[in-house]
Amino acid sequence: GKREPNPRMQAIISALSRGAVAFSDRIGHSNWTLIGATCMADGELLRADKPATPIERYFGSTPPQGQIWSTYTEVGETGLRFGYALSVSVRRDYDVYPADMVLPASVDYVVLEYDDTNGVPRPFSAASPLRVNATRAGRVNGKQHWSFFRAFPLLGARFALLGESDTIVSV
């Protein structure tokens, strides 16, 4: 039978949408790694505070050439916000700023790409935006090109709480 060509992208979209999360189209075809990336061990879904939406600049005079959606999680009464951005089929390089993830401009962040196997956080601020690199539009081998980024506030000058690295919504 047919297989989902982009199960990781679909899992990210499900987790960021705050909607239903479906784990398989057939019995015996569940991806337990992806299931674990969307929920806690007891099955509670890990969700951002609001559903992901296109960044505000998408509707302005300098929109991305492709899709960039964002959301955030705010931790309790601390006021700390953690941002999430998903880009799909972006045809031109595009700079994303903390404001695009509805993150306070007064805070400096580090950002990690979900697929970065080296796990090296990069500075992320109004002065140091995240460059979303252009990809080929459309599909190649049935798959859309996408990237997923997570932004973490700096605590002090040198530390950031990165949360759980193997989950989509990490904090």
Side-chain angles (χ1 to χ4, degrees), residues 58-114:
Y58 185 80
F59 303 103
S61 61
T62 59
Q65 299 297 307
Q67 297 290 320
I68 299 178
W69 291 53
S70 73
T71 187
Y72 63 86
T73 298
E74 191 167 309
V75 177
E77 296 178 16
T78 66
L80 291 175
R81 281 196 180 179
F82 298 78
Y84 306 95
L86 173 67
S87 68
V88 179
S89 297
V90 173
R91 295 180 301 277
R92 286 195 189 125
D93 290 353
Y94 195 79
D95 288 338
V96 172
Y97 296 88
D100 293 321
M101 292 187 201
V102 194
L103 300 174
S106 60
V107 177
D108 287 332
Y109 295 83
V110 293
V111 68
L112 278 170
E113 187 168 356
Y114 190 61

Side-chain angles (χ1 to χ4, degrees), residues 17-153:
S17 73
R18 293 192 53 90
V21 177
F23 297 118
S24 179
D25 291 331
R26 287 190 347 201
I27 294 173
H29 287 81
S30 299
N31 182 324
W32 293 105
T33 302
L34 285 180
I35 292 170
T38 63
C39 63
M40 296 191 298
D42 66 1
E44 182 179 342
L45 293 175
L46 298 168
R47 299 183 180 269
D49 287 355
K50 69 175 195 77
T53 56
I55 63 172
E56 191 69 26
R57 289 188 299 144
Y58 185 80
F59 303 103
S61 61
T62 59
Q65 299 297 307
Q67 297 290 320
I68 299 178
W69 291 53
S70 73
T71 187
Y72 63 86
T73 298
E74 191 167 309
V75 177
E77 296 178 16
T78 66
L80 291 175
R81 281 196 180 179
F82 298 78
Y84 306 95
L86 173 67
S87 68
V88 179
S89 297
V90 173
R91 295 180 301 277
R92 286 195 189 125
D93 290 353
Y94 195 79
D95 288 338
V96 172
Y97 296 88
D100 293 321
M101 292 187 201
V102 194
L103 300 174
S106 60
V107 177
D108 287 332
Y109 295 83
V110 293
V111 68
L112 278 170
E113 187 168 356
Y114 190 61
D115 284 335
D116 183 357
T117 56
N118 296 321
V120 177
R122 299 178 299 205
F124 180 50
S125 66
S128 182
L130 164 67
R131 171 64 50 103
V132 174
N133 293 317
T135 62
R136 284 183 270 164
R139 297 174 181 263
V140 174
N141 296 326
K143 294 185 179 186
Q144 287 183 298
H145 293 280
W146 60 274
S147 295
F148 179 53
F149 304 93
R150 300 179 294 179
F152 308 93

